[in-house]
Amino acid sequence: MGLAEGFRWGVATAAYQIEGAVDEDGRGPSTWDTFSHTPGRVRDGHNGDVACDHYHRWPEDIALMSGLGIDTYRFSIAWPRVQPSGIGRANARGLDFYDRLVDGLLAAGIAPAATLYHWDLPQPLEDAGGWMERDTAYRFAEFSYLVAERLSDRVEMWITLNEPVVVMAYGYAFGVYAPGKTLMLDALPAAHHQLLGHGLAVHALRGRGVRSIGLANHYSPAWAASPGDQPAADAFDTFMNRLFTDPVLLGRYPGLMADAPFIRAEDMAVIATPIDFLGVNYYQPTRLKTASEGPLPFEIVDITEYPTTGMGWPIVPDAFLSLLRTLDTRYDLPPLYITENGCSFPDEIGPDGVVDDSPRIKFLDAHIRAMRTAIGEGVDIRGYFTWSLLDNFEWSEGYHPRFGLVHVDYETQKRTPKKSYGWYRDLIASSKPPL
Ligand code: BGC
């Protein structure tokens, strides 16, 4: 099936996972600095202090992107570089970095797509309550405005939040990601305040003339372990897939949030401010059964009948297709971008210097085919961004999982394109109309 004219092929990354340089040019601490430096939080005590040193090696990384022939690069802006304490005037040196990056991308013919929040909240804002506090939503809109003030003349595509469900669930409910709170269902205000921040940021960006704004949500199709477990699967679907999409596209929360005291009547119109596209991040489906104990109505059951990635995640391209179909039936969708899709494997450089990551090629090929089937059925998808360009800091798993098209040796910072890099380059080249 033909792709829409102007279909964007890209790669995605996030600031804390690749930049390093955590103390440079006035950057303040983020929740992830604090979390990763707290013993026991991240596997083997890894942290993002150096990461891929992208802060200094970005010209080399842009050259790698050029070699791929991508149209668009999705990266994130570190809030603590722009507002080291989360509030007040912009730190010009922090913005200078993104200025250079954006100019470098444009010079290479690559469109920048900026994500404003990929989980690195300035620590002082967390100390004041973080996303559990309504005020953080206003701070986020202010930060968004400051970034747009500097970059909106050159950055066309903007993503407000990355996967707010993960921030709420892993960060505030279960405590496995920063800021490490275990509030369980009491974490729901963190959902609402992020969504309010999203809506306020859309207004702030529009005020700077931005025309292409969306948010990137994490989606995982919910499978019931048995017919009797369907209510558990539905509850997970609401929590994971609908909680951050219904309010934005339908202007209302699904059941579990209706009438919550922290929601003000006027908030819903802000949250439902029309967006220009929806970002879809997809990795895997989830199987659920009725919970035997605890505050949540569902329990996750391993999916064992499919091959898995290095993270142990089941590889199910059909679930990606069914997700795209479900989104298309459930909502009157704006155009979609696949803002993340990818896999980790324990990739190693072979004696011949080659990183043979054939399982990644198989994964990407099958998922891109699923996307193309959805496009053939009429789902309006305008771009696909692989996670990720480089191996990087995989949050609480540290540097163990390798998600990149490019292998990174963390001792030397040497980048080695994997076999999948050449495969993706050829795929992009073959999907372009001949000159
Ligand atoms: C996140 C990335 C992460 C990837 C793989 C997504 O949930 O946006 O930051 O590295 O999944 O786990």
Side-chain angles (χ1 to χ4, degrees), residues 384-404:
Y384 174 93
F385 307 153
T386 295
W387 184 271
S388 183
L389 174 68
L390 304 169
D391 291 340
N392 60 48
F393 176 77
E394 176 53 29
W395 309 114
S396 54
E397 289 298 312
Y399 295 99
H400 294 286
R402 292 186 174 271
F403 272 91

Side-chain angles (χ1 to χ4, degrees), residues 17 118-119 162-163 218 283 313 340 387 394-395 403:
Q17 295 181 271
H118 202 127
W119 308 352
N162 179 71
E163 301 189 346
H218 182 99
Y283 289 90
W313 296 347
E340 280 182 38
W387 184 271
E394 176 53 29
W395 309 114
F403 272 91

Side-chain angles (χ1 to χ4, degrees), residues 52-54 56-67 101 389-390 406-408 412-417 421:
C52 306
D53 195 30
H54 171 75
H56 302 113
R57 293 170 194 262
W58 59 269
E60 183 184 350
D61 295 338
I62 290 182
L64 285 164
M65 294 177 218
S66 290
L101 179 70
L389 174 68
L390 304 169
V406 176
H407 179 278
V408 177
T412 61
Q413 291 296 342
K414 184 172 177 344
R415 276 87 162 122
T416 306
Y421 175 96

